[in-house]
Amino acid sequence: MSVQPIRLFGDPVLTTPAEKVSTFDKELRVLVKDLTETMLDAPGAGLAAPQIGVSLRVFTYDVDDVIGHLVNPVIGVKSDEEQDGDEGCLSFPGLAFPTKRKQRVVASGFTMHGDPITIEGSALLARCIQHEVDHLDGVLFIDRLDPEQRKAAMRAIREAEWSGLSPSSVKVSPHATGGLAV
Ligand SMILES: [Zn+2]
């Protein structure tokens, strides 16, 4: 296992809320490694497990030269201050749209070894955390756009060359072949 194919918009795994990780085992460590390698290969600022077809609450990030991951994240807002700026997603290749996000967030969760960890982020890291935690809830960045931008996004998606190419299986483990959870 290493670099994995990234699931594209239209794949049901991307709109399925992911399950909490309950076992901090070798399989989870392999998942974090796969996510990290796939994110760096893409390259992207973050990657959530559903994007490689694994419906578990895990994401990785690579922001300002810091590479990390978070398991079972719970997000909190540090202030009402917002940021605006173009946001894209590896599951929507080549597309980006202005997306409002909170400027500062804090996320608590666990490392792949089961140790509690809290990340605080502003600007790009805050945007990344919100985007990835949304993925774990089955929410996509196009769901966060204002109505006019969303219309433009849906049009661009229909016209994108990858549109309609997504496969459609949902796994709850990186190695299981059965156990579909659609
Ligand atoms: Zn994304």
Side-chain angles (χ1 to χ4, degrees):
M1 303 294 279
S2 50
V3 173
Q4 300 294 308
I6 294 176
R7 302 303 182 90
L8 300 174
F9 175 66
D11 190 313
V13 72
L14 295 174
T15 45
T16 303
E19 291 181 23
K20 258 183 147 170
V21 170
S22 54
T23 316
F24 291 75
D25 58 2
K26 181 159 185 274
E27 213 172 76
L28 176 64
R29 295 195 292 277
V30 171
L31 172 61
V32 170
K33 189 166 179 280
D34 287 351
L35 278 171
T36 304
E37 288 178 8
T38 305
M39 170 183 73
L40 295 176
D41 179 71
L47 192 65
Q51 291 181 279
I52 60 168
V54 180
S55 197
L56 286 174
R57 301 187 71 82
V58 183
F59 74 84
T60 57
Y61 61 90
D62 176 14
V63 178
D64 300 332
D65 295 324
V66 178
I67 295 173
H69 68 277
L70 204 53
V71 178
N72 296 344
V74 175
I75 198 167
V77 174
K78 292 290 284 181
S79 77
D80 286 337
E81 195 187 340
E82 289 195 320
Q83 56 172 314
D84 207 350
D86 273 356
E87 188 169 312
C89 177
L90 293 173
S91 297
F92 298 74
L95 303 183
F97 297 93
T99 312
K100 276 202 181 67
R101 297 284 187 183
K102 297 294 183 198
Q103 173 67 12
R104 288 164 58 80
V105 298
V106 59
S108 306
F110 297 88
T111 69
M112 60 184 158
H113 303 292
D115 300 318
I117 185 176
T118 297
I119 329 173
E120 256 190 72
S122 59
L124 185 57
L125 181 57
R127 178 178 292 280
C128 174
I129 292 169
Q130 290 166 87
H131 181 109
E132 303 310 333
V133 172
D134 270 355
H135 269 302
L136 305 183
D137 294 331
V139 174
L140 299 169
F141 83 112
I142 54 167
D143 301 323
R144 300 291 188 190
L145 302 179
D146 66 41
E148 203 167 303
Q149 283 296 336
R150 192 185 154 87
K151 244 191 250 169
M154 294 313 292
R155 193 161 51 236
I157 289 163
R158 277 196 303 274
E159 289 167 3
E161 58 182 17
W162 48 263
S163 193
L165 292 179
S166 65
S168 58
S169 69
V170 179
K171 292 189 287 181
V172 292
S173 147
H175 306 303
T177 48
L180 297 189
V182 182

